């Protein structure tokens, strides 16, 4: 397996050691990473006979019933979802005072990692960007039947070795019908990507909050910048971007949810002509090459 990252600070944060068998089922291979509330390990599932990712809550949070309830709800919601663009959850459980979720292990990089590996001044090709966002819209069109993701950002988008896009980490999502678990005073998400209404009141958000986050991320992927303050249109920052994208991003970023796209189907439909133009450009280039 790949080398483990530097261990997190504090002995309490290190829950497993390499080679340890947990819950009589999972052989720990290495630590993948650590977030604010938990760790993710690459493990071998001795029942499924394959490598999976094991997400665990840090010990200090296991004592908090509300946090544990949210964590388990994440798994229950995600476990109901079966879509090629959403990370698959296998199992939920607890053992040795540790609460865990096992899920599909993805080989590839996060969209953040892909962006950070680009040479200075370069951006992803427009055709690839539009393909990524088409798959994200497909994932959210399905997911919004069950939940609002509430933390759309490049770190939560995985690009597989085969180029397939997968949305992950529904850790702060909630069932639309259940508002009891998300208190108004608790801001959940990543501020740069959060809609104004989510910053004001985390409880009262719907699918349009995810559309705002998609707009922020689309602008960032296209330009390398976050749309803070009064942002310049993307087509004025990076030469070659079609001005039609500016209106799409602007609509996603409207402060009032009623002025945005009302669902991801509308956003996906708006992006489709640009994808078709990219495909047409490829066809024209191929035809030109054939004539030479």
């Amino acid at each position: 397996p790949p080398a483990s990252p530097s261990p997190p600070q504090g002995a309490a944060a290190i829950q497993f050691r390499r080679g340890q068998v947990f819950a009589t089922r999972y052989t720990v291979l290495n630590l993948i990473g650590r977030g604010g509330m938990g760790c993710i390990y690459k493990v071998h599932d001795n029942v499924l006979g394959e490598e999976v990712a094991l997400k665990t809550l840090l010990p200090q949070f296991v004592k908090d019933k509300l946090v544990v309830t949210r964590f388990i709800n994440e798994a229950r919601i995600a476990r109901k979802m079966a879509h090629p663009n959403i990370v698959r959850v296998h199992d939920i459980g607890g053992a040795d005072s540790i609460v865990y979720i096992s899920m599909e292990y993805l080989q590839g990089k996060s969209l953040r990692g892909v962006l950070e590996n680009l040479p200075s001044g370069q951006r992803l090709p427009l055709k690839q960007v539009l393909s990524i966002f088409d798959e994200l819209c497909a994932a959210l069109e399905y997911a919004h039947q069950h939940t609002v993701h509430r933390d759309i950002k490049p770190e939560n988008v995985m690009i597989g070795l085969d180029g397939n896009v997968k949305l992950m980490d529904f850790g702060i999502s909630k069932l639309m019908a259940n508002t009891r678990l998300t208190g108004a005073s608790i801001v959940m998400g990543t501020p740069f990507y959060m809609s104004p209404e989510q910053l004001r009141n985390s409880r009262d958000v719907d699918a349009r909050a995810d559309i705002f986050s998609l707009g922020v991320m689309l602008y960032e992927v296209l330009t390398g910048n976050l749309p803070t303050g009064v942002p310049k249109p993307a087509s004025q920052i990076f030469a070659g971007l079609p001005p039609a994208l500016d209106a799409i991003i602007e609509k996603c970023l409207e402060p009032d949810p009623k002025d945005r796209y009302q669902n991801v189907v509308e956003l996906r439909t708006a992006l489709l002509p640009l994808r078709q133009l990219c495909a047409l450009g490829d066809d024209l280039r191929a035809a030109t090459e054939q004539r030479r």
Side-chain angles (χ1 to χ4, degrees):
S4 299
S6 299
Q9 295 297 314
I14 305 172
Q15 295 167 294
F16 301 128
R17 64 185 182 277
R18 188 192 297 260
Q20 180 178 345
V21 177
F22 171 66
T24 70
R25 174 172 179 174
Y26 303 104
T27 302
V28 179
L29 301 177
N30 59 277
L31 175 69
I32 298 172
R34 184 190 178 208
M37 296 183 69
C39 294
I40 302 180
Y41 297 87
K42 180 181 178 182
V43 303
H44 184 80
D45 185 328
N46 300 311
V47 173
L48 293 179
E50 63 185 59
E51 292 174 356
V52 302
L54 198 71
K55 182 176 182 179
T56 66
L57 269 182
L58 292 175
Q60 60 266 39
F61 295 112
V62 175
K63 300 171 186 175
D64 187 322
K65 289 183 180 179
L66 183 61
V67 171
V68 171
T69 300
R70 284 205 186 100
F71 188 80
I72 292 173
N73 273 355
E74 166 196 356
R76 284 177 176 159
I77 296 164
R79 198 176 183 187
K80 293 176 183 176
M81 294 191 283
H83 189 276
N85 298 118
I86 294 176
V87 173
R88 191 82 176 103
V89 167
H90 298 306
D91 192 27
I92 317 160
D96 304 325
S97 301
I98 293 173
V99 181
Y100 68 89
I101 302 171
S102 72
M103 62 189 74
E104 175 183 8
Y105 174 73
L106 300 175
Q107 290 188 299
K109 289 182 180 177
S110 69
L111 180 55
R112 173 66 69 208
V114 171
L115 295 175
E116 288 179 345
N117 283 344
L118 288 170
S120 179
Q122 287 192 22
R123 305 260 60 84
L124 290 176
L126 179 59
K127 180 181 178 182
Q128 184 180 0
V129 172
L130 293 175
S131 177
I132 288 170
F133 277 81
D134 184 70
E135 291 190 56
L136 286 175
C137 284
L140 286 172
E141 181 183 346
Y142 174 85
H144 283 164
Q145 298 173 51
H146 306 278
T147 187
V148 182
H149 188 284
R150 301 158 70 91
D151 199 19
I152 304 287
K153 57 185 177 182
E155 288 81 355
N156 285 339
V157 177
M158 289 296 295
I159 312 295
L161 296 179
D162 58 358
N164 189 40
V165 176
K166 295 219 178 198
L167 184 58
M168 61 183 291
D169 198 358
F170 284 81
I172 59 163
S173 61
K174 69 183 181 73
L175 282 170
M176 287 181 175
N178 187 351
T179 58
R180 182 176 59 81
L181 291 177
T182 307
S185 62
I186 302 171
V187 175
M188 304 173 76
T190 304
F192 283 130
Y193 299 89
M194 287 166 62
S195 65
E197 70 272 18
Q198 190 173 350
L199 284 166
R200 285 193 303 268
N201 187 332
S202 289
R203 184 174 56 191
D204 295 333
V205 300
D206 57 26
R208 295 171 296 182
D210 285 346
I211 290 170
F212 184 95
S213 301
L214 282 175
V216 174
M217 196 165 66
L218 180 57
Y219 186 91
E220 180 185 13
V221 171
L222 290 171
T223 69
N225 304 315
L226 288 165
T228 54
V230 181
K232 279 188 176 181
S235 65
Q236 292 182 20
I237 294 177
F238 207 73
L241 292 179
L245 268 172
D246 299 332
I248 293 172
I249 293 170
E250 185 179 349
K251 191 172 177 71
C252 288
L253 297 179
E254 286 286 354
D256 191 327
K258 73 176 188 300
D259 296 326
R260 294 177 208 146
Y261 295 104
Q262 296 302 288
N263 53 65
V264 289
V265 176
E266 291 183 5
L267 173 56
R268 195 179 187 189
T269 302
L271 290 170
L272 180 59
L274 294 171
R275 293 191 70 214
Q276 291 171 333
L277 275 176
C278 286
L280 180 60
D282 286 348
D283 291 343
L284 288 173
R285 280 189 290 273
T288 301
E289 290 294 326
Q290 285 180 352
R291 285 198 296 268
R292 288 179 180 173

